[in-house]
mmCIF file of all heavy atoms in Angstrom:
data_model
loop_
_atom_site.group_PDB
_atom_site.id
_atom_site.type_symbol
_atom_site.label_atom_id
_atom_site.label_comp_id
_atom_site.label_asym_id
_atom_site.label_seq_id
_atom_site.Cartn_x
_atom_site.Cartn_y
_atom_site.Cartn_z
ATOM 1 N N MET A 1 109.248 -29.788 -8.922
ATOM 2 C CA MET A 1 108.328 -30.853 -9.076
ATOM 3 C C MET A 1 106.927 -30.398 -8.674
ATOM 4 O O MET A 1 106.817 -29.896 -7.577
ATOM 5 C CB MET A 1 108.799 -32.021 -8.111
ATOM 6 C CG MET A 1 107.995 -33.235 -8.410
ATOM 7 S SD MET A 1 108.155 -34.695 -7.230
ATOM 8 C CE MET A 1 109.920 -34.906 -7.290
ATOM 9 N N ASN A 2 106.066 -30.587 -9.589
ATOM 10 C CA ASN A 2 104.664 -30.151 -9.163
ATOM 11 C C ASN A 2 103.884 -31.330 -8.679
ATOM 12 O O ASN A 2 104.316 -32.451 -8.518
ATOM 13 C CB ASN A 2 103.944 -29.530 -10.469
ATOM 14 C CG ASN A 2 103.865 -30.488 -11.629
ATOM 15 O OD1 ASN A 2 104.001 -31.710 -11.390
ATOM 16 N ND2 ASN A 2 103.738 -30.048 -12.864
ATOM 17 N N PHE A 3 102.628 -31.094 -8.357
ATOM 18 C CA PHE A 3 101.761 -32.124 -7.692
ATOM 19 C C PHE A 3 101.593 -33.305 -8.506
ATOM 20 O O PHE A 3 101.589 -34.456 -7.984
ATOM 21 C CB PHE A 3 100.441 -31.447 -7.349
ATOM 22 C CG PHE A 3 99.413 -32.469 -6.740
ATOM 23 C CD1 PHE A 3 99.590 -32.929 -5.410
ATOM 24 C CD2 PHE A 3 98.383 -32.949 -7.492
ATOM 25 C CE1 PHE A 3 98.766 -33.815 -4.911
ATOM 26 C CE2 PHE A 3 97.453 -33.839 -6.893
ATOM 27 C CZ PHE A 3 97.654 -34.287 -5.622
ATOM 28 N N ILE A 4 101.435 -33.147 -9.825
ATOM 29 C CA ILE A 4 101.228 -34.294 -10.699
ATOM 30 C C ILE A 4 102.463 -35.198 -10.717
ATOM 31 O O ILE A 4 102.372 -36.499 -10.595
ATOM 32 C CB ILE A 4 100.885 -33.845 -12.152
ATOM 33 C CG1 ILE A 4 99.509 -33.134 -12.166
ATOM 34 C CG2 ILE A 4 100.863 -35.028 -13.061
ATOM 35 C CD1 ILE A 4 99.142 -32.534 -13.382
ATOM 36 N N ASP A 5 103.696 -34.666 -10.769
ATOM 37 C CA ASP A 5 104.867 -35.410 -10.749
ATOM 38 C C ASP A 5 105.050 -36.238 -9.484
ATOM 39 O O ASP A 5 105.460 -37.349 -9.427
ATOM 40 C CB ASP A 5 106.088 -34.522 -10.921
ATOM 41 C CG ASP A 5 106.134 -34.081 -12.417
ATOM 42 O OD1 ASP A 5 105.593 -34.631 -13.360
ATOM 43 O OD2 ASP A 5 106.791 -32.998 -12.587
ATOM 44 N N SER A 6 104.794 -35.575 -8.367
ATOM 45 C CA SER A 6 104.938 -36.187 -7.095
ATOM 46 C C SER A 6 103.905 -37.300 -6.866
ATOM 47 O O SER A 6 104.159 -38.394 -6.332
ATOM 48 C CB SER A 6 104.801 -35.213 -5.892
ATOM 49 O OG SER A 6 103.572 -34.576 -5.872
ATOM 50 N N LYS A 7 102.647 -37.108 -7.350
ATOM 51 C CA LYS A 7 101.649 -38.150 -7.355
ATOM 52 C C LYS A 7 102.006 -39.318 -8.173
ATOM 53 O O LYS A 7 101.877 -40.447 -7.775
ATOM 54 C CB LYS A 7 100.337 -37.540 -7.693
ATOM 55 C CG LYS A 7 99.134 -38.530 -7.589
ATOM 56 C CD LYS A 7 97.855 -37.933 -7.936
ATOM 57 C CE LYS A 7 96.699 -38.916 -7.742
ATOM 58 N NZ LYS A 7 95.387 -38.388 -8.183
ATOM 59 N N PHE A 8 102.584 -39.070 -9.382
ATOM 60 C CA PHE A 8 102.967 -40.190 -10.259
ATOM 61 C C PHE A 8 104.191 -40.990 -9.630
ATOM 62 O O PHE A 8 104.174 -42.199 -9.663
ATOM 63 C CB PHE A 8 103.429 -39.620 -11.577
ATOM 64 C CG PHE A 8 103.917 -40.732 -12.484
ATOM 65 C CD1 PHE A 8 103.053 -41.602 -13.108
ATOM 66 C CD2 PHE A 8 105.276 -40.838 -12.757
ATOM 67 C CE1 PHE A 8 103.412 -42.571 -13.925
ATOM 68 C CE2 PHE A 8 105.759 -41.873 -13.658
ATOM 69 C CZ PHE A 8 104.768 -42.708 -14.203
ATOM 70 N N SER A 9 105.070 -40.372 -8.861
ATOM 71 C CA SER A 9 106.128 -41.052 -8.279
ATOM 72 C C SER A 9 105.704 -41.942 -7.121
ATOM 73 O O SER A 9 106.259 -42.978 -6.892
ATOM 74 C CB SER A 9 107.307 -40.098 -7.873
ATOM 75 O OG SER A 9 106.860 -39.304 -6.814
ATOM 76 N N ILE A 10 104.742 -41.435 -6.386
ATOM 77 C CA ILE A 10 104.085 -42.215 -5.357
ATOM 78 C C ILE A 10 103.504 -43.538 -5.863
ATOM 79 O O ILE A 10 103.678 -44.519 -5.376
ATOM 80 C CB ILE A 10 103.132 -41.328 -4.432
ATOM 81 C CG1 ILE A 10 103.897 -40.295 -3.684
ATOM 82 C CG2 ILE A 10 102.293 -42.140 -3.486
ATOM 83 C CD1 ILE A 10 102.995 -39.243 -2.995
ATOM 84 N N VAL A 11 102.679 -43.379 -6.889
ATOM 85 C CA VAL A 11 102.079 -44.487 -7.499
ATOM 86 C C VAL A 11 103.037 -45.511 -8.157
ATOM 87 O O VAL A 11 102.931 -46.631 -8.030
ATOM 88 C CB VAL A 11 100.995 -44.094 -8.652
ATOM 89 C CG1 VAL A 11 100.481 -45.267 -9.342
ATOM 90 C CG2 VAL A 11 99.912 -43.206 -7.890
ATOM 91 N N ARG A 12 104.145 -44.878 -8.632
ATOM 92 C CA ARG A 12 105.173 -45.751 -9.305
ATOM 93 C C ARG A 12 105.933 -46.551 -8.330
ATOM 94 O O ARG A 12 106.447 -47.619 -8.661
ATOM 95 C CB ARG A 12 106.115 -44.801 -10.126
ATOM 96 C CG ARG A 12 107.070 -45.543 -10.943
ATOM 97 C CD ARG A 12 107.808 -44.657 -11.874
ATOM 98 N NE ARG A 12 108.755 -45.277 -12.704
ATOM 99 C CZ ARG A 12 108.542 -46.016 -13.743
ATOM 100 N NH1 ARG A 12 107.307 -46.042 -14.156
ATOM 101 N NH2 ARG A 12 109.507 -46.620 -14.476
ATOM 102 N N ASN A 13 106.081 -46.147 -7.101
ATOM 103 C CA ASN A 13 106.758 -46.757 -6.123
ATOM 104 C C ASN A 13 105.974 -47.722 -5.209
ATOM 105 O O ASN A 13 106.470 -48.355 -4.255
ATOM 106 C CB ASN A 13 107.621 -45.812 -5.231
ATOM 107 C CG ASN A 13 108.680 -45.195 -5.941
ATOM 108 O OD1 ASN A 13 109.415 -45.874 -6.729
ATOM 109 N ND2 ASN A 13 108.904 -43.947 -5.693
ATOM 110 N N GLN A 14 104.665 -47.769 -5.404
ATOM 111 C CA GLN A 14 103.814 -48.671 -4.623
ATOM 112 C C GLN A 14 103.990 -50.035 -5.043
ATOM 113 O O GLN A 14 104.157 -50.299 -6.289
ATOM 114 C CB GLN A 14 102.354 -48.305 -4.728
ATOM 115 C CG GLN A 14 101.909 -47.033 -3.877
ATOM 116 C CD GLN A 14 100.468 -46.882 -4.087
ATOM 117 O OE1 GLN A 14 99.869 -47.097 -5.066
ATOM 118 N NE2 GLN A 14 99.839 -46.336 -3.002
ATOM 119 N N TRP A 15 103.871 -50.970 -4.079
ATOM 120 C CA TRP A 15 103.916 -52.425 -4.443
ATOM 121 C C TRP A 15 102.475 -52.871 -4.735
ATOM 122 O O TRP A 15 101.687 -53.088 -3.867
ATOM 123 C CB TRP A 15 104.502 -53.213 -3.264
ATOM 124 C CG TRP A 15 104.613 -54.620 -3.530
ATOM 125 C CD1 TRP A 15 103.733 -55.611 -3.346
ATOM 126 C CD2 TRP A 15 105.730 -55.338 -4.084
ATOM 127 N NE1 TRP A 15 104.201 -56.830 -3.784
ATOM 128 C CE2 TRP A 15 105.448 -56.615 -4.222
ATOM 129 C CE3 TRP A 15 106.976 -54.820 -4.485
ATOM 130 C CZ2 TRP A 15 106.329 -57.548 -4.779
ATOM 131 C CZ3 TRP A 15 107.922 -55.817 -5.002
ATOM 132 C CH2 TRP A 15 107.522 -57.167 -5.121
ATOM 133 N N ILE A 16 102.249 -53.064 -6.053
ATOM 134 C CA ILE A 16 100.860 -53.546 -6.450
ATOM 135 C C ILE A 16 101.077 -54.747 -7.282
ATOM 136 O O ILE A 16 101.993 -54.784 -8.221
ATOM 137 C CB ILE A 16 100.200 -52.496 -7.341
ATOM 138 C CG1 ILE A 16 100.025 -51.173 -6.523
ATOM 139 C CG2 ILE A 16 98.808 -52.946 -7.828
ATOM 140 C CD1 ILE A 16 99.518 -50.040 -7.343
ATOM 141 N N TRP A 17 100.439 -55.803 -6.949
ATOM 142 C CA TRP A 17 100.569 -57.074 -7.750
ATOM 143 C C TRP A 17 100.021 -57.027 -9.112
ATOM 144 O O TRP A 17 99.044 -56.344 -9.392
ATOM 145 C CB TRP A 17 99.831 -58.212 -6.977
ATOM 146 C CG TRP A 17 100.533 -58.617 -5.710
ATOM 147 C CD1 TRP A 17 100.177 -58.232 -4.524
ATOM 148 C CD2 TRP A 17 101.695 -59.464 -5.605
ATOM 149 N NE1 TRP A 17 101.101 -58.863 -3.545
ATOM 150 C CE2 TRP A 17 102.003 -59.507 -4.255
ATOM 151 C CE3 TRP A 17 102.550 -60.064 -6.514
ATOM 152 C CZ2 TRP A 17 103.042 -60.256 -3.758
ATOM 153 C CZ3 TRP A 17 103.593 -60.801 -6.099
ATOM 154 C CH2 TRP A 17 103.884 -60.816 -4.716
ATOM 155 N N GLY A 18 100.650 -57.704 -10.067
ATOM 156 C CA GLY A 18 100.212 -57.711 -11.400
ATOM 157 C C GLY A 18 100.865 -56.627 -12.254
ATOM 158 O O GLY A 18 101.818 -56.034 -11.868
ATOM 159 N N PHE A 19 100.231 -56.403 -13.390
ATOM 160 C CA PHE A 19 100.765 -55.343 -14.308
ATOM 161 C C PHE A 19 100.384 -54.010 -13.859
ATOM 162 O O PHE A 19 99.151 -53.649 -13.756
ATOM 163 C CB PHE A 19 100.215 -55.555 -15.720
ATOM 164 C CG PHE A 19 100.750 -56.833 -16.302
ATOM 165 C CD1 PHE A 19 99.862 -57.934 -16.426
ATOM 166 C CD2 PHE A 19 102.069 -56.984 -16.789
ATOM 167 C CE1 PHE A 19 100.356 -59.083 -16.977
ATOM 168 C CE2 PHE A 19 102.504 -58.150 -17.287
ATOM 169 C CZ PHE A 19 101.603 -59.234 -17.426
ATOM 170 N N SER A 20 101.357 -53.176 -13.395
ATOM 171 C CA SER A 20 101.055 -51.843 -12.833
ATOM 172 C C SER A 20 102.085 -50.963 -13.360
ATOM 173 O O SER A 20 103.184 -51.282 -13.958
ATOM 174 C CB SER A 20 100.932 -51.861 -11.342
ATOM 175 O OG SER A 20 102.198 -52.233 -10.795
ATOM 176 N N VAL A 21 102.000 -49.682 -12.934
ATOM 177 C CA VAL A 21 102.920 -48.721 -13.334
ATOM 178 C C VAL A 21 104.317 -48.941 -12.740
ATOM 179 O O VAL A 21 105.349 -48.706 -13.322
ATOM 180 C CB VAL A 21 102.461 -47.243 -12.956
ATOM 181 C CG1 VAL A 21 103.478 -46.108 -13.275
ATOM 182 C CG2 VAL A 21 101.146 -47.023 -13.711
ATOM 183 N N GLY A 22 104.304 -49.372 -11.422
ATOM 184 C CA GLY A 22 105.463 -49.509 -10.731
ATOM 185 C C GLY A 22 106.188 -50.953 -10.913
ATOM 186 O O GLY A 22 107.270 -51.164 -10.416
ATOM 187 N N ALA A 23 105.654 -51.763 -11.858
ATOM 188 C CA ALA A 23 106.114 -53.192 -11.979
ATOM 189 C C ALA A 23 107.535 -53.110 -12.608
ATOM 190 O O ALA A 23 108.417 -53.848 -12.043
ATOM 191 C CB ALA A 23 105.261 -53.938 -12.867
ATOM 192 N N GLU A 24 107.791 -52.241 -13.471
ATOM 193 C CA GLU A 24 109.185 -52.168 -14.087
ATOM 194 C C GLU A 24 110.225 -51.648 -13.099
ATOM 195 O O GLU A 24 111.303 -52.157 -13.078
ATOM 196 C CB GLU A 24 109.096 -51.299 -15.278
ATOM 197 C CG GLU A 24 110.372 -51.291 -16.151
ATOM 198 C CD GLU A 24 110.521 -52.571 -16.876
ATOM 199 O OE1 GLU A 24 109.476 -53.225 -17.198
ATOM 200 O OE2 GLU A 24 111.717 -52.903 -17.134
ATOM 201 N N SER A 25 109.807 -50.701 -12.284
ATOM 202 C CA SER A 25 110.729 -50.185 -11.235
ATOM 203 C C SER A 25 111.082 -51.357 -10.242
ATOM 204 O O SER A 25 112.289 -51.562 -9.885
ATOM 205 C CB SER A 25 110.113 -49.106 -10.431
ATOM 206 O OG SER A 25 109.953 -47.994 -11.296
ATOM 207 N N TRP A 26 110.090 -52.132 -9.766
ATOM 208 C CA TRP A 26 110.411 -53.161 -8.849
ATOM 209 C C TRP A 26 111.120 -54.301 -9.463
ATOM 210 O O TRP A 26 112.053 -54.902 -8.885
ATOM 211 C CB TRP A 26 109.101 -53.666 -8.230
ATOM 212 C CG TRP A 26 108.553 -52.766 -7.189
ATOM 213 C CD1 TRP A 26 107.577 -51.870 -7.249
ATOM 214 C CD2 TRP A 26 109.201 -52.648 -5.835
ATOM 215 N NE1 TRP A 26 107.463 -51.223 -6.065
ATOM 216 C CE2 TRP A 26 108.311 -51.634 -5.228
ATOM 217 C CE3 TRP A 26 110.194 -53.184 -5.221
ATOM 218 C CZ2 TRP A 26 108.667 -51.226 -3.909
ATOM 219 C CZ3 TRP A 26 110.464 -52.860 -3.861
ATOM 220 C CH2 TRP A 26 109.694 -51.829 -3.247
ATOM 221 N N ASN A 27 110.819 -54.635 -10.724
ATOM 222 C CA ASN A 27 111.683 -55.671 -11.452
ATOM 223 C C ASN A 27 113.039 -55.230 -11.555
ATOM 224 O O ASN A 27 113.990 -56.064 -11.335
ATOM 225 C CB ASN A 27 111.089 -55.992 -12.836
ATOM 226 C CG ASN A 27 109.768 -56.689 -12.758
ATOM 227 O OD1 ASN A 27 109.501 -57.391 -11.879
ATOM 228 N ND2 ASN A 27 109.056 -56.519 -13.826
ATOM 229 N N GLY A 28 113.330 -54.027 -11.827
ATOM 230 C CA GLY A 28 114.726 -53.571 -11.912
ATOM 231 C C GLY A 28 115.466 -53.586 -10.609
ATOM 232 O O GLY A 28 116.570 -53.937 -10.460
ATOM 233 N N ARG A 29 114.757 -53.086 -9.589
ATOM 234 C CA ARG A 29 115.374 -53.130 -8.205
ATOM 235 C C ARG A 29 115.719 -54.613 -7.724
ATOM 236 O O ARG A 29 116.788 -54.822 -7.166
ATOM 237 C CB ARG A 29 114.393 -52.461 -7.168
ATOM 238 C CG ARG A 29 114.287 -51.018 -7.470
ATOM 239 C CD ARG A 29 113.157 -50.449 -6.517
ATOM 240 N NE ARG A 29 112.996 -49.064 -6.938
ATOM 241 C CZ ARG A 29 111.830 -48.413 -6.634
ATOM 242 N NH1 ARG A 29 110.867 -48.995 -6.079
ATOM 243 N NH2 ARG A 29 111.716 -47.145 -6.937
ATOM 244 N N LEU A 30 114.835 -55.471 -7.934
ATOM 245 C CA LEU A 30 115.019 -56.874 -7.512
ATOM 246 C C LEU A 30 116.162 -57.513 -8.414
ATOM 247 O O LEU A 30 116.885 -58.248 -7.902
ATOM 248 C CB LEU A 30 113.823 -57.608 -7.559
ATOM 249 C CG LEU A 30 112.672 -57.229 -6.587
ATOM 250 C CD1 LEU A 30 111.435 -57.999 -6.830
ATOM 251 C CD2 LEU A 30 113.215 -57.389 -5.172
ATOM 252 N N ALA A 31 116.201 -57.150 -9.633
ATOM 253 C CA ALA A 31 117.267 -57.642 -10.476
ATOM 254 C C ALA A 31 118.679 -57.135 -10.086
ATOM 255 O O ALA A 31 119.641 -57.944 -10.020
ATOM 256 C CB ALA A 31 117.015 -57.321 -11.981
ATOM 257 N N MET A 32 118.703 -55.876 -9.716
ATOM 258 C CA MET A 32 119.952 -55.364 -9.221
ATOM 259 C C MET A 32 120.341 -55.979 -7.899
ATOM 260 O O MET A 32 121.543 -56.316 -7.681
ATOM 261 C CB MET A 32 119.907 -53.897 -9.082
ATOM 262 C CG MET A 32 119.892 -53.069 -10.389
ATOM 263 S SD MET A 32 119.901 -51.306 -10.086
ATOM 264 C CE MET A 32 118.246 -50.992 -9.655
ATOM 265 N N LEU A 33 119.454 -56.209 -7.002
ATOM 266 C CA LEU A 33 119.747 -56.851 -5.744
ATOM 267 C C LEU A 33 120.263 -58.314 -5.961
ATOM 268 O O LEU A 33 121.204 -58.749 -5.284
ATOM 269 C CB LEU A 33 118.477 -56.836 -4.887
ATOM 270 C CG LEU A 33 118.643 -57.435 -3.444
ATOM 271 C CD1 LEU A 33 119.578 -56.700 -2.633
ATOM 272 C CD2 LEU A 33 117.231 -57.518 -2.821
ATOM 273 N N SER A 34 119.526 -59.010 -6.801
ATOM 274 C CA SER A 34 119.993 -60.423 -7.246
ATOM 275 C C SER A 34 121.302 -60.412 -7.747
ATOM 276 O O SER A 34 122.139 -61.321 -7.314
ATOM 277 C CB SER A 34 119.020 -61.090 -8.143
ATOM 278 O OG SER A 34 117.654 -61.079 -7.561
ATOM 279 N N PHE A 35 121.658 -59.573 -8.668
ATOM 280 C CA PHE A 35 122.951 -59.506 -9.285
ATOM 281 C C PHE A 35 124.017 -59.318 -8.270
ATOM 282 O O PHE A 35 125.088 -59.928 -8.234
ATOM 283 C CB PHE A 35 123.064 -58.432 -10.322
ATOM 284 C CG PHE A 35 124.366 -58.321 -11.000
ATOM 285 C CD1 PHE A 35 124.686 -59.238 -11.936
ATOM 286 C CD2 PHE A 35 125.218 -57.352 -10.681
ATOM 287 C CE1 PHE A 35 125.982 -59.173 -12.614
ATOM 288 C CE2 PHE A 35 126.471 -57.210 -11.258
ATOM 289 C CZ PHE A 35 126.856 -58.144 -12.226
ATOM 290 N N THR A 36 123.849 -58.323 -7.291
ATOM 291 C CA THR A 36 124.700 -58.016 -6.235
ATOM 292 C C THR A 36 125.012 -59.216 -5.333
ATOM 293 O O THR A 36 126.098 -59.526 -4.997
ATOM 294 C CB THR A 36 124.227 -56.873 -5.427
ATOM 295 O OG1 THR A 36 124.012 -55.700 -6.294
ATOM 296 C CG2 THR A 36 125.271 -56.443 -4.339
ATOM 297 N N ILE A 37 123.905 -59.989 -4.952
ATOM 298 C CA ILE A 37 124.011 -61.188 -4.102
ATOM 299 C C ILE A 37 124.850 -62.185 -4.777
ATOM 300 O O ILE A 37 125.698 -62.824 -4.238
ATOM 301 C CB ILE A 37 122.645 -61.659 -3.689
ATOM 302 C CG1 ILE A 37 121.933 -60.642 -2.716
ATOM 303 C CG2 ILE A 37 122.653 -63.056 -3.050
ATOM 304 C CD1 ILE A 37 120.558 -60.915 -2.385
ATOM 305 N N ILE A 38 124.544 -62.509 -6.029
ATOM 306 C CA ILE A 38 125.275 -63.525 -6.820
ATOM 307 C C ILE A 38 126.726 -63.086 -6.938
ATOM 308 O O ILE A 38 127.608 -63.921 -6.782
ATOM 309 C CB ILE A 38 124.573 -63.683 -8.227
ATOM 310 C CG1 ILE A 38 123.311 -64.439 -8.012
ATOM 311 C CG2 ILE A 38 125.535 -64.547 -9.086
ATOM 312 C CD1 ILE A 38 122.462 -64.483 -9.264
ATOM 313 N N PHE A 39 126.975 -61.847 -7.322
ATOM 314 C CA PHE A 39 128.348 -61.378 -7.374
ATOM 315 C C PHE A 39 129.147 -61.556 -6.135
ATOM 316 O O PHE A 39 130.313 -62.039 -6.133
ATOM 317 C CB PHE A 39 128.473 -59.917 -7.887
ATOM 318 C CG PHE A 39 129.751 -59.305 -7.904
ATOM 319 C CD1 PHE A 39 130.596 -59.624 -8.993
ATOM 320 C CD2 PHE A 39 130.227 -58.526 -6.887
ATOM 321 C CE1 PHE A 39 131.886 -59.026 -9.086
ATOM 322 C CE2 PHE A 39 131.469 -57.971 -7.092
ATOM 323 C CZ PHE A 39 132.306 -58.258 -8.150
ATOM 324 N N LEU A 40 128.586 -61.226 -4.982
ATOM 325 C CA LEU A 40 129.178 -61.336 -3.683
ATOM 326 C C LEU A 40 129.429 -62.754 -3.284
ATOM 327 O O LEU A 40 130.558 -63.133 -2.775
ATOM 328 C CB LEU A 40 128.462 -60.657 -2.639
ATOM 329 C CG LEU A 40 128.469 -59.114 -2.694
ATOM 330 C CD1 LEU A 40 127.444 -58.495 -1.620
ATOM 331 C CD2 LEU A 40 129.771 -58.557 -2.535
ATOM 332 N N CYS A 41 128.509 -63.633 -3.583
ATOM 333 C CA CYS A 41 128.688 -65.157 -3.287
ATOM 334 C C CYS A 41 129.868 -65.642 -4.094
ATOM 335 O O CYS A 41 130.649 -66.366 -3.610
ATOM 336 C CB CYS A 41 127.444 -65.887 -3.651
ATOM 337 S SG CYS A 41 126.129 -65.693 -2.448
ATOM 338 N N GLU A 42 129.994 -65.263 -5.400
ATOM 339 C CA GLU A 42 131.050 -65.799 -6.210
ATOM 340 C C GLU A 42 132.362 -65.119 -5.738
ATOM 341 O O GLU A 42 133.337 -65.832 -5.690
ATOM 342 C CB GLU A 42 130.803 -65.479 -7.685
ATOM 343 C CG GLU A 42 129.712 -66.261 -8.284
ATOM 344 C CD GLU A 42 129.667 -66.138 -9.800
ATOM 345 O OE1 GLU A 42 130.417 -65.369 -10.325
ATOM 346 O OE2 GLU A 42 128.854 -66.800 -10.340
ATOM 347 N N LEU A 43 132.347 -63.926 -5.259
ATOM 348 C CA LEU A 43 133.619 -63.321 -4.848
ATOM 349 C C LEU A 43 134.178 -63.928 -3.498
ATOM 350 O O LEU A 43 135.296 -64.188 -3.377
ATOM 351 C CB LEU A 43 133.368 -61.803 -4.609
ATOM 352 C CG LEU A 43 134.509 -60.882 -4.137
ATOM 353 C CD1 LEU A 43 135.495 -60.859 -5.298
ATOM 354 C CD2 LEU A 43 134.038 -59.565 -3.809
ATOM 355 N N ILE A 44 133.189 -64.160 -2.527
ATOM 356 C CA ILE A 44 133.504 -64.747 -1.288
ATOM 357 C C ILE A 44 133.976 -66.150 -1.376
ATOM 358 O O ILE A 44 135.035 -66.553 -0.821
ATOM 359 C CB ILE A 44 132.376 -64.588 -0.257
ATOM 360 C CG1 ILE A 44 132.098 -63.183 0.025
ATOM 361 C CG2 ILE A 44 132.570 -65.434 0.999
ATOM 362 C CD1 ILE A 44 130.807 -62.929 0.709
ATOM 363 N N PHE A 45 133.284 -66.955 -2.177
ATOM 364 C CA PHE A 45 133.652 -68.399 -2.214
ATOM 365 C C PHE A 45 134.539 -68.796 -3.290
ATOM 366 O O PHE A 45 135.010 -69.942 -3.371
ATOM 367 C CB PHE A 45 132.256 -69.237 -2.385
ATOM 368 C CG PHE A 45 131.332 -69.151 -1.179
ATOM 369 C CD1 PHE A 45 130.093 -68.566 -1.305
ATOM 370 C CD2 PHE A 45 131.749 -69.552 0.036
ATOM 371 C CE1 PHE A 45 129.239 -68.423 -0.266
ATOM 372 C CE2 PHE A 45 130.926 -69.463 1.112
ATOM 373 C CZ PHE A 45 129.643 -68.971 0.994
ATOM 374 N N SER A 46 134.791 -67.889 -4.198
ATOM 375 C CA SER A 46 135.732 -68.083 -5.391
ATOM 376 C C SER A 46 135.295 -69.296 -6.228
ATOM 377 O O SER A 46 136.104 -70.042 -6.767
ATOM 378 C CB SER A 46 137.160 -68.255 -4.926
ATOM 379 O OG SER A 46 137.590 -67.110 -4.262
ATOM 380 N N VAL A 47 134.011 -69.504 -6.323
ATOM 381 C CA VAL A 47 133.405 -70.626 -7.080
ATOM 382 C C VAL A 47 132.238 -70.021 -7.753
ATOM 383 O O VAL A 47 131.502 -69.168 -7.242
ATOM 384 C CB VAL A 47 133.063 -71.751 -6.204
ATOM 385 C CG1 VAL A 47 132.359 -72.885 -6.920
ATOM 386 C CG2 VAL A 47 134.161 -72.231 -5.298
ATOM 387 N N SER A 48 131.845 -70.589 -8.977
ATOM 388 C CA SER A 48 130.756 -70.039 -9.654
ATOM 389 C C SER A 48 129.452 -70.458 -8.918
ATOM 390 O O SER A 48 129.403 -71.458 -8.214
ATOM 391 C CB SER A 48 130.733 -70.678 -11.094
ATOM 392 O OG SER A 48 130.317 -71.982 -11.083
ATOM 393 N N THR A 49 128.485 -69.699 -9.195
ATOM 394 C CA THR A 49 127.217 -69.914 -8.578
ATOM 395 C C THR A 49 126.569 -71.212 -8.919
ATOM 396 O O THR A 49 125.893 -71.909 -8.143
ATOM 397 C CB THR A 49 126.194 -68.782 -8.953
ATOM 398 O OG1 THR A 49 126.767 -67.511 -8.615
ATOM 399 C CG2 THR A 49 124.856 -68.887 -8.227
ATOM 400 N N LEU A 50 126.765 -71.598 -10.121
ATOM 401 C CA LEU A 50 126.228 -72.963 -10.606
ATOM 402 C C LEU A 50 126.912 -74.070 -9.847
ATOM 403 O O LEU A 50 126.238 -75.097 -9.557
ATOM 404 C CB LEU A 50 126.421 -73.121 -12.003
ATOM 405 C CG LEU A 50 125.651 -72.117 -12.969
ATOM 406 C CD1 LEU A 50 126.013 -72.307 -14.404
ATOM 407 C CD2 LEU A 50 124.154 -72.298 -12.767
ATOM 408 N N LYS A 51 128.140 -73.955 -9.574
ATOM 409 C CA LYS A 51 128.776 -74.950 -8.804
ATOM 410 C C LYS A 51 128.418 -74.997 -7.296
ATOM 411 O O LYS A 51 128.283 -76.028 -6.673
ATOM 412 C CB LYS A 51 130.418 -74.827 -8.821
ATOM 413 C CG LYS A 51 131.163 -75.970 -8.327
ATOM 414 C CD LYS A 51 132.597 -75.810 -8.702
ATOM 415 C CE LYS A 51 132.835 -77.018 -9.625
ATOM 416 N NZ LYS A 51 134.203 -77.082 -10.110
ATOM 417 N N ILE A 52 128.074 -73.821 -6.722
ATOM 418 C CA ILE A 52 127.614 -73.798 -5.413
ATOM 419 C C ILE A 52 126.331 -74.445 -5.325
ATOM 420 O O ILE A 52 125.963 -75.129 -4.367
ATOM 421 C CB ILE A 52 127.461 -72.280 -4.917
ATOM 422 C CG1 ILE A 52 128.825 -71.606 -4.804
ATOM 423 C CG2 ILE A 52 126.721 -72.099 -3.605
ATOM 424 C CD1 ILE A 52 128.765 -70.087 -4.572
ATOM 425 N N LEU A 53 125.394 -74.224 -6.247
ATOM 426 C CA LEU A 53 124.050 -74.842 -6.301
ATOM 427 C C LEU A 53 124.089 -76.367 -6.717
ATOM 428 O O LEU A 53 123.091 -77.031 -6.684
ATOM 429 C CB LEU A 53 123.160 -74.087 -7.315
ATOM 430 C CG LEU A 53 122.869 -72.694 -6.827
ATOM 431 C CD1 LEU A 53 122.060 -71.969 -7.990
ATOM 432 C CD2 LEU A 53 122.093 -72.660 -5.541
ATOM 433 N N GLY A 54 125.255 -76.739 -7.131
ATOM 434 C CA GLY A 54 125.423 -78.196 -7.528
ATOM 435 C C GLY A 54 124.888 -78.594 -8.870
ATOM 436 O O GLY A 54 124.620 -79.723 -9.197
ATOM 437 N N LEU A 55 124.875 -77.540 -9.791
ATOM 438 C CA LEU A 55 124.401 -77.825 -11.120
ATOM 439 C C LEU A 55 125.536 -78.214 -12.123
ATOM 440 O O LEU A 55 125.259 -78.621 -13.247
ATOM 441 C CB LEU A 55 123.602 -76.583 -11.637
ATOM 442 C CG LEU A 55 122.441 -76.242 -10.827
ATOM 443 C CD1 LEU A 55 121.763 -74.900 -11.314
ATOM 444 C CD2 LEU A 55 121.359 -77.375 -10.867
ATOM 445 N N ILE A 56 126.746 -78.035 -11.691
ATOM 446 C CA ILE A 56 127.918 -78.359 -12.579
ATOM 447 C C ILE A 56 128.631 -79.535 -11.877
ATOM 448 O O ILE A 56 128.820 -79.543 -10.704
ATOM 449 C CB ILE A 56 128.832 -77.105 -12.730
ATOM 450 C CG1 ILE A 56 128.023 -76.098 -13.652
ATOM 451 C CG2 ILE A 56 130.032 -77.568 -13.493
ATOM 452 C CD1 ILE A 56 128.926 -74.982 -13.972
#
């Protein structure tokens, strides 16, 4: 990995509001975290998430 690649990865992982280079990375990370939390809630309570929230 050269200097340009390491500089790009640092910029890509920074938390910058709005449209930025790292926005797609953060969106993906937060989506994976949300999916995991929802999956664990459904697994623990044996009820769908919509039912837990009272939407069904």
